[in-house]
């Protein structure tokens, strides 16, 4: 069939044998089309590694010459996906060697990181960034008629040092009914934000035993998550998967280029979905409510943290290699699309420089 041209010279690329499709602009590489279609290809560096092999079955591409393919392979339609540019509707086949390379890599690393029965009981000095505190407040009287917020803050300060304590409007709006309906016995979730303590939420009754957090190693190749009981400090579970951004290349630089070309939203969405997948797997397995997961702490190289927070990463790969932020402040996890308690926080370990990532916990 004649090449199907849409408004802005976009062409359809179909990946066989799965039949996955993507629409890309004329001149886009087959590698970026694969990423858009959700097809994973082995890769390792533009035109250098020779791993991103595809066979063009139909349609026109413009392929740069390469020493990685023999004359016979070129005749048979082989191209390097990162070196072949789309010039019309195309059908390409992912050859068995490319599929096997991806599958082999997944098997190898997943076994390395998965820890189905994570070890409990290993102790470190415990200073949770977020904690739940059960409070029994004295009801107001004519002699003690502080406002509800101030009454709550006073009680928090009786238990924890919190010179600067603040609460969001939504929490303030909920407090009056909540305090009275729960007979002034509530659980406050407190989060460290720099030098400030934020009252994240107030729950009726004693829910202090249900505080969970997730620690995530956002690696360039692999995303590894640990589910933690914030009361005991024990690791309850662990899960890992490949970083879905690999569809844009193994190297960080290629992903930065992709983020500059297409905007950072797609790179962010991929890693956020990876984190969400891991978190939901673990909470389901452990029978934990997602709303009781109140914090996510991520460690990663500086570029990974940029992708996660959708910070513009372009300056990282250009002299003098400057980060948008080395120590980003905690943000609402929901703001970046991470599904935990809607008011839960996302902390990112501060980096050392543009090319050296996470060090010690924020605020330590
Ligand atoms: S040759 Fe290595 S990614 Fe294409």
């Amino acid at each position: 069939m004649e090449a199907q041209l849409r408004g802005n010279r976009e062409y359809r690329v179909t990946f066989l044998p799965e039949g996955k499709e993507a629409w890309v602009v004329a001149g886009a590489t087959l590698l970026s089309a694969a990423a858009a279609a959700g097809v994973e290809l082995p890769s390792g560096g533009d035109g250098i590694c020779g791993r991103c092999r595809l066979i063009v079955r139909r349609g026109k591409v413009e392929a740069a010459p390469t020493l990685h393919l023999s004359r016979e392979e070129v005749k048979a339609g082989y191209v390097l996906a990162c070196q072949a540019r789309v010039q019309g509707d195309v059908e390409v086949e992912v050859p068995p060697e490319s599929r096997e390379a991806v599958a082999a890599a997944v098997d190898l690393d997943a076994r390395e990181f998965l820890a189905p029965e994570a070890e409990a009981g290993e102790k470190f000095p415990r200073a949770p960034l977020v904690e739940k505190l059960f409070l029994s407040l004295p009801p107001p009287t004519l002699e003690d008629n502080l406002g509800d917020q101030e009454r709550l803050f006073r009680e928090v300060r009786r238990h924890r040092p919190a010179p600067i304590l603040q609460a969001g409007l939504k929490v303030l709006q909920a407090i009056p009914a909540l305090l009275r309906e729960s007979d002034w016995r509530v659980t406050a979730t407190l989060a460290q934000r720099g030098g400030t303590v934020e009252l994240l939420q107030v729950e009726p009754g004693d829910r202090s035993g249900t505080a969970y957090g997730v620690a995530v190693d956002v690696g360039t190749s692999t995303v590894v998550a640990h589910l933690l009981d914030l009361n005991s400090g024990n690791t309850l579970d662990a899960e890992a998967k490949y970083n879905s951004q690999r569809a844009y290349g193994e190297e960080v630089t290629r992903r930065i280029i992709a983020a500059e070309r297409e905007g950072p939203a797609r790179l962010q969405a991929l890693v956020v979905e990876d984190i969400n997948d891991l978190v939901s797997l673990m909470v389901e397995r452990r029978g934990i409510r997602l709303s009781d997961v109140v914090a996510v702490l991520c460690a990663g190289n500086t570029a990974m943290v940029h992708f996660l927070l959708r910070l513009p990463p372009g300056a990282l790969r250009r002299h003098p290699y400057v980060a948008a932020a080395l120590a980003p402040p905690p943000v609402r996890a929901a703001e970046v699309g991470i599904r935990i308690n809607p008011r839960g926080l996302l902390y990112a370990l501060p980096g050392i420089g543009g090319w050296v990532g996470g060090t010690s916990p924020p605020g330590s």
Side-chain angles (χ1 to χ4, degrees), residues 204-358:
D206 184 358
R207 301 213 70 244
S208 58
T210 58
Y212 302 97
V214 179
V216 187
D217 176 5
V218 190
T220 309
S221 305
T222 325
V223 182
V224 185
H226 288 80
L227 177 67
L228 303 165
D229 181 331
L230 297 180
N231 284 304
S232 64
N234 287 340
T235 301
L236 303 177
D237 206 343
E239 268 291 348
K241 68 178 293 192
Y242 269 86
N243 186 329
S244 300
Q245 294 174 341
R246 289 168 83 232
Y248 284 90
E250 306 267 2
E251 291 175 344
V252 164
T253 313
R254 293 211 12 207
R255 297 184 203 174
I256 295 175
I257 292 168
E260 289 181 292
R261 189 179 57 234
E262 299 175 22
R266 178 77 183 136
L267 274 293
Q268 182 194 39
L270 286 172
V271 72
V272 165
E273 267 322 297
D274 285 344
I275 294 171
N276 283 336
D277 287 349
L278 298 176
V279 173
S280 62
L281 256 172
M282 292 189 295
V283 295
E284 271 172 37
R285 195 156 58 207
R286 298 290 153 179
I288 286 170
R289 282 169 24 180
L290 206 51
S291 59
D292 286 328
V293 179
V294 286
V296 173
L297 185 139
C298 288
N301 66 49
T302 310
M304 284 302 128
V305 172
H306 277 57
F307 294 140
L308 179 63
L309 298 177
R310 213 199 291 181
L311 300 174
L316 285 175
R317 71 180 184 97
R318 294 188 181 84
H319 184 82
Y321 315 111
V322 171
L326 281 175
V331 296
R332 208 70 71 201
E335 259 185 86
V336 304
I338 293 179
R339 289 191 293 273
I340 56 168
N341 182 303
R343 298 195 57 78
L345 293 184
L346 165 64
Y347 296 86
L349 292 194
I352 293 173
W355 288 95
V356 187

Side-chain angles (χ1 to χ4, degrees), residues 43-45 47-52 80 82 254:
S43 60
I48 297 168
C49 68
R51 298 170 65 208
C52 57
L80 294 179
C82 67
R254 293 211 12 207

